[in-house]
């Protein structure tokens, strides 16, 4: 796995394609170690087969301990040592966290919370995304980095900053306020247009001058939802602008591909990555199992499918994950026997061609000293190192899958902007949450063995047989049309409640809910009738539902299920309308997990999407090329499973006839010829 990467502008920009192997990589923080340790590190990296090392992620304070000239001597040495060892570098621009002097000399670069409190330095990312001084200082560093290393033979990839927005996405300071006003002027042109878009006739909010417009700072009552939505859009754009400023310095001085590590995850929602993706040469994601969620493995699958959506179906890079525990959850669970392999392959199955870890060597000091690493505190003697070696060898055996695409016949429309807006302060129910709705439908499809492409609103859905639209609260007319077109051209479309309710300005689409989909579903919702926290309602089919019910009036749809009790008793709860060659289904409630599964089973049958009852603890995903199919089977269960697939297993190097028996906790990647048409 130590073949040098050869990325160039003409090639598909995914390290790994160029080498024909799955890239194994890691973050490396040589600043934390004496140079004598570096020698050992590089020897062991070679032993493990590390291809790509991310360095200088938090290097600024070492490069510039005081304002003034940069000292690149140590960075020069580690770059040279890595190059000599045949290990390529994913080079951080180093701007993710400024040195301590920044806050002393330029305190106006510090971000502020919504209540005006200052975010002090001492952690990381203590900078305001809109600060011109921070930007200037950061670009001085990026310029020096690009000039010094832009042609370095070890350089494979530029890594802009680090997880932009992880801690500093929303800043409410005066500098941000001014930048917000500039952004709003560009969006609306005139103050009248802004007043109309935000509906400021309400509560005496009409603005008479631009200077009165502020970020949505902490208030005593609910704020203006359109104002909040625009501030979130602005905040995502402000960080994207920062990325693009660094990117443009790099591109003017270096031809090496540029990216940054995204956080497609359940606990970060502040970046609308659909608008970021076109600016990244390759899509790179950071993903850690989140044990605060009900089903962390289902969330991994969701994140990986969404990351592939950002990559427009092309292979992508897992830029960070952990070998075992993290150090930032309330309880940091170690990975169980085999879980490292299963989770890494979970990403490969869903399109990753590079698997990189945070981090190489476990730190001795600092806030992450209990975070796992490829080389744990126990060194090479313990089980951790043995697992790292096992994974590396396995990734080598999977080389044939590099460059192949994931085969999916189902799609889910996902929107960060709907996530922001649907969960605003003054909605009919705080219990209806965007991401859990999307997760629930995705998880059910995964447990039916159905792979889902997660796509942006407005994506042309032609070719998908099944389209799920969870709680797409805000959308444009064009976005709505793309969904209607999918049904007309033959897809089975499912729309879940609180979709199509408002326009881009969070203003109600009039004429009865859901304004954007009324015609498509052939029904109108006269009133939302949300349920109390613990309440459930019974449906005619015997299904149970929670959180939400609605008074639905059918216009041209068939009623497939009805509320038996609760505040919407006797109202339709599930409808279906035949549309062109396809259909549009609508559910007016939050079905429980079993009911979601039953519904999707029915929808898959209607759509002709083959389902396999594998349950929630198994991943089955196909990656395909023009001639080959690779069936990934990841068995997270404690008992063996049997899957009807034949071919050559790349994991065990065995021929599989008829069906594959996958032991408890095991993985299989079965190569076979392609006999059918993938999506
Ligand atoms: C990421 C970050 C890394 C490290 C890692 C720990 O958020 O980019 O620097 O902190 O988490 O899990």
């Amino acid at each position: 796995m130590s073949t040098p990467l050869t990325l160039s502008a003409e090639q598909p920009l995914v390290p790994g394609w160029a080498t024909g192997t799955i890239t194994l990589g890691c973050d490396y923080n040589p600043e934390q170690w004496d140079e004598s340790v570096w020698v050992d590190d590089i020897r062991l990296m070679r032993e493990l087969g590390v291809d790509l090392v991310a360095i200088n992620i938090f290097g600024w304070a070492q490069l510039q301990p005081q304002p003034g000239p940069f000292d690149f001597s140590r960075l020069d040495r580690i770059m040279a040592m890595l190059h000599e060892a045949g290990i390529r570098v994913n080079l951080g621009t180093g701007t993710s966290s400024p040195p301590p002097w920044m806050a002393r000399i330029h305190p106006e670069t510090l971000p502020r919370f919504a209540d005006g409190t200052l975010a002090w330095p001492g952690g990381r990312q203590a900078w305001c995304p809109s600060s011109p001084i921070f930007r200037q200082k950061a670009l001085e560093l990026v310029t020096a980095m690009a000039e010094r290393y832009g042609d370095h033979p070890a350089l494979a990839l530029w890594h802009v900053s680090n997880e932009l927005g992880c801690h500093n996405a929303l800043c409410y300071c005066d500098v941000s306020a001014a930048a917000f006003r500039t952004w709003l002027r560009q969006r609306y042109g005139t103050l009248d247009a802004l007043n109309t878009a935000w509906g400021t006739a309400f509560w005496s909010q009409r603005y008479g001058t631009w200077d009165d417009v502020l970020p949505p700072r902490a208030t005593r009552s609910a704020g203006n939802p359109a104002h909040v939505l625009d501030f979130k859009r602005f905040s995502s754009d402000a960080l994207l602008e920062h990325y693009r400023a660094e990117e443009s310095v790099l591109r003017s001085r270096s031809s090496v591909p540029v990216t940054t590590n995204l956080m497609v995850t359940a606990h970060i929602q502040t970046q609308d990555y659909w608008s970021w993706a076109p600016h990244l040469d390759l899509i790179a994601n950071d993903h850690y199992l989140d044990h605060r969620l009900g089903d962390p493995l289902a969330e991994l699958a969701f994140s990986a499918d969404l990351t592939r959506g950002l990559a427009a179906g092309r292979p992508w890079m897992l830029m960070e994950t952990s070998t075992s525990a993290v150090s930032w959850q309330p309880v940091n669970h170690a990975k169980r026997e085999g879980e490292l392999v299963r989770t890494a392959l979970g990403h490969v199955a869903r399109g990753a061609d590079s698997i990189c870890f945070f981090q190489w060597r476990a730190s001795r000091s600092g806030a992450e000293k209990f975070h796992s690493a490829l080389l744990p505190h126990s060194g090479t003697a313990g089980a951790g190192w043995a697992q790292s070696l096992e994974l590396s060898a396995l990734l080598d055996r999977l080389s044939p899958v590099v460059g192949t695409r994931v085969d999916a016949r189902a799609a889910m429309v996902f929107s960060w902007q709907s996530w922001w807006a649907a969960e605003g302060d003054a909605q009919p129910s705080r219990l209806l949450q965007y991401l859990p709705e999307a997760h629930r439908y995705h998880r059910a499809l995964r447990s039916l063995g159905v792979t889902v492409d997660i796509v942006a609103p407005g994506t042309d859905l032609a070719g998908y047989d099944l389209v799920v639209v969870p709680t797409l609260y805000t959308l444009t007319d064009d976005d709505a049309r793309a969904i209607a077109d999918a049904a007309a051209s033959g897809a089975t479309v499912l729309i879940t409640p609180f979709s199509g309710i408002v326009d881009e300005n969070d203003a109600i689409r009039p004429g009865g809910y859901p304004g954007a989909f009324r015609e498509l579903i052939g029904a109108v919702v006269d009133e939302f009738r949300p349920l109390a926290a613990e309440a459930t309602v019974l449906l005619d089919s015997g299904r149970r539902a929670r959180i939400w019910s609605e008074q639905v009036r059918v216009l041209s749809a068939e009623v497939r299920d009805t509320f038996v009790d609760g505040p919407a008793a006797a109202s339709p709860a599930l409808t279906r309308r035949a549309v062109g060659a396809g259909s549009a289904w609508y559910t007016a409630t939050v079905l429980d997990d079993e009911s979601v599964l039953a519904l999707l089973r029915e929808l898959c049958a209607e759509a002709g999407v083959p389902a396999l009852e594998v349950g929630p603890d198994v991943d089955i995903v196909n990656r395909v090329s023009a001639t080959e199919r690779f069936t990934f089977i990841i068995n997270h269960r404690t008992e063996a499973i049997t899957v009807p697939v034949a071919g050559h297993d790349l994991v065990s190097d065995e021929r599989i006839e008829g069906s594959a028996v996958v032991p408890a906790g095991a993985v299989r990647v079965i190569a076979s010829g392609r006999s059918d048409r993938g999506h």
Side-chain angles (χ1 to χ4, degrees):
M1 302 249 303
S2 51
T3 327
L5 301 167
T6 50
L7 290 171
S8 80
E10 298 78 47
Q11 284 173 315
L13 297 172
V14 179
W17 262 13
T19 61
T21 61
I22 293 183
T23 299
L24 174 64
C26 55
D27 272 39
Y28 180 39
N29 295 298
E31 312 85 42
Q32 295 175 16
W33 304 99
D34 192 82
E35 292 192 21
S36 61
V37 180
W38 297 2
V39 177
D40 220 30
D41 281 332
I42 288 177
R43 179 180 60 78
L44 290 170
M45 283 176 191
R46 282 182 62 89
E47 186 178 324
L48 186 61
V50 170
D51 303 296
L52 186 70
V53 159
I55 56 172
N56 198 45
I57 307 299
F58 294 101
W60 193 346
Q62 273 78 17
L63 298 175
Q64 198 181 26
Q66 283 300 306
F70 297 102
D71 174 5
F72 288 112
S73 52
R74 272 169 61 96
L75 193 50
D76 286 351
R77 284 200 288 285
I78 192 67
M79 288 286 286
M81 286 168 73
L82 288 165
H83 177 54
E84 205 176 308
I87 298 170
R88 305 304 303 275
V89 174
N90 171 13
L91 187 56
T93 55
T95 57
S96 55
S97 273
W101 55 257
M102 185 76 79
R104 174 174 44 86
I105 301 175
H106 303 290
E108 66 279 30
T109 60
L110 293 171
R112 281 187 190 270
F113 295 99
D115 66 357
T117 315
L118 196 66
W120 292 96
R124 63 178 178 183
Q125 269 187 358
W127 52 276
C128 160
S130 303
S131 163
I133 296 179
F134 178 83
R135 179 81 50 90
Q136 180 204 326
K137 299 287 170 200
L139 294 187
E140 282 168 17
L141 173 56
V142 181
T143 305
M145 289 287 299
E147 281 170 357
R148 193 166 194 94
Y149 302 111
D151 299 322
H152 196 288
L155 183 65
L157 195 58
W158 283 108
H159 179 307
V160 169
S161 191
N162 189 60
E163 291 191 340
L164 285 157
C166 183
H167 309 282
N168 65 344
L170 303 176
C171 173
Y172 297 81
C173 75
D174 287 341
V175 173
S176 293
F180 182 38
R181 286 190 283 270
T182 304
W183 183 93
L184 290 167
R185 277 175 190 263
Q186 274 161 11
R187 182 173 174 90
Y188 293 108
T190 66
L191 206 51
D192 273 353
L194 176 140
N195 277 310
T196 305
W198 288 7
T200 55
F202 182 79
W203 276 358
S204 185
Q205 291 171 349
R206 189 173 179 83
Y207 294 99
T209 166
W210 284 102
D211 290 343
D212 289 344
V213 181
L214 297 171
R217 292 175 175 156
T219 47
R220 290 285 173 101
S221 73
N224 178 328
H227 178 194
V228 173
L229 178 57
D230 267 347
F231 184 68
K232 291 192 173 167
R233 290 178 175 133
F234 153 76
S235 300
S236 174
D237 285 356
L239 278 169
L240 176 58
E241 190 186 302
H242 182 89
Y243 169 84
R244 296 197 63 191
E246 291 202 21
E247 178 204 6
S248 118
V249 169
L250 296 171
R251 292 202 195 282
S252 66
R253 291 167 176 80
S254 172
S255 58
V256 168
V258 182
T259 192
T260 188
N261 44 349
L262 308 181
M263 298 162 288
V264 179
T265 175
H267 63 277
I268 305 268
Q269 58 152 220
T270 37
Q271 284 73 245
D272 181 354
Y273 286 138
W274 294 125
S275 60
W276 288 52
H279 303 288
L280 275 55
D281 285 330
L282 74 90
I283 296 298
N285 189 37
D286 291 356
H287 186 271
Y288 295 90
L289 281 187
D290 190 339
H291 289 277
R292 295 166 294 190
L293 300 171
D295 188 344
L297 293 169
E299 192 274 332
L300 181 159
F302 184 91
S303 165
D305 285 345
L306 178 49
T307 304
R308 185 177 68 258
L310 292 165
R314 286 174 303 165
W316 49 276
M317 168 182 274
L318 182 67
M319 182 91 92
E320 283 184 29
T321 190
S322 64
T323 53
S324 189
V326 298
S327 55
W328 42 265
Q329 291 176 21
V331 175
N332 294 297
H333 294 273
K335 285 191 175 164
R336 288 167 300 142
E337 172 79 28
E339 201 171 1
L340 169 60
V341 162
R342 290 193 295 277
T343 49
L345 257 60
H347 293 284
V348 177
R350 292 173 195 275
D353 273 3
S354 313
I355 300 292
C356 309
F357 290 88
F358 178 87
Q359 60 177 332
W360 164 251
R361 182 186 278 275
S363 302
R364 286 194 58 207
S365 306
E368 294 182 329
K369 61 181 180 296
F370 292 115
H371 198 288
S372 59
L374 284 168
L375 183 60
H377 288 143
S378 58
T380 53
W385 178 250
Q387 280 168 24
S388 300
L389 289 170
E390 181 198 345
L391 176 71
S392 175
L394 176 59
L395 292 180
D396 272 344
R397 295 203 290 283
L398 300 189
S399 299
V401 308
V402 170
T404 59
R405 304 292 177 104
V406 171
D407 188 15
R409 294 174 61 184
M412 175 178 284
V413 180
F414 180 86
S415 157
W416 273 275
Q417 298 198 14
S418 277
W419 187 359
W420 300 338
E423 295 184 1
D425 273 346
Q427 300 295 35
S429 170
R430 295 239 170 122
L431 301 177
L432 184 69
Q433 290 183 323
Y434 179 79
L435 197 64
E437 273 306 277
H439 278 172
R440 199 173 5 260
Y441 282 89
H442 184 272
R443 179 171 184 265
L445 284 167
R446 172 172 169 261
S447 61
L448 291 171
V450 174
T451 304
V452 183
D453 280 347
I454 304 184
V455 301
T459 300
D460 178 1
L461 297 160
Y464 288 109
D465 299 313
L466 175 66
V467 176
V468 180
V469 183
T471 308
L472 192 60
Y473 168 73
T474 173
L475 77 174
T476 65
D477 293 346
D478 285 347
D479 300 342
R481 208 166 298 119
I483 291 165
D485 287 351
S489 59
T492 292
V493 173
L494 171 67
I495 295 173
T496 85
F498 216 41
S499 292
I501 305 300
V502 297
D503 63 16
E504 310 87 289
N505 299 318
D506 205 353
I508 299 291
R509 290 167 172 274
Y513 318 121
F517 294 125
R518 215 166 40 226
E519 240 178 79
L520 175 65
I521 65 173
V524 58
V525 176
D526 286 327
E527 192 174 47
F528 303 130
R529 298 193 178 165
L531 308 176
E534 302 308 324
T536 63
V537 285
L538 181 66
L539 311 187
D540 213 20
S541 59
R543 290 175 183 155
R544 289 224 152 254
R546 303 177 298 128
I547 294 176
W548 191 266
S549 68
E550 297 176 336
Q551 189 62 33
V552 177
R553 200 167 17 106
V554 155
L555 305 172
S556 58
E558 313 156 43
V559 176
R560 289 301 191 99
D561 213 342
T562 306
F563 292 106
V564 171
D565 55 17
S571 165
L574 178 68
T575 60
R576 178 186 183 278
R577 177 170 169 254
V579 183
S583 64
W585 292 69
Y586 179 67
T587 166
T589 187
V590 175
L591 297 168
D592 66 18
D593 289 354
E594 235 174 86
S595 306
V596 168
L597 194 63
L599 176 61
L600 287 174
R601 211 175 266 134
E602 190 177 348
L603 265 51
C604 285
E606 178 185 290
V609 173
L612 212 54
E613 300 282 341
V614 291
D617 299 322
V618 174
D619 287 282
I620 297 212
V621 183
N622 287 292
R623 286 185 66 162
V624 295
S625 67
T627 53
E628 278 197 292
R629 170 172 297 271
F630 299 93
T631 304
F632 284 72
I633 310 167
I634 305 173
N635 184 6
H636 304 278
R637 287 201 204 151
T638 49
E639 70 266 12
I641 54 165
T642 304
V643 179
V645 56
H648 179 80
D649 176 24
L650 301 179
V651 176
S652 63
D653 198 19
E654 281 167 10
R655 176 91 215 140
I656 310 285
E657 308 285 354
S659 57
V661 177
V662 186
V667 295
R668 294 285 177 266
V669 180
I670 298 172
S672 56
R674 264 190 96 180
S675 50
D676 60 338
R677 178 200 67 91
H679 173 72

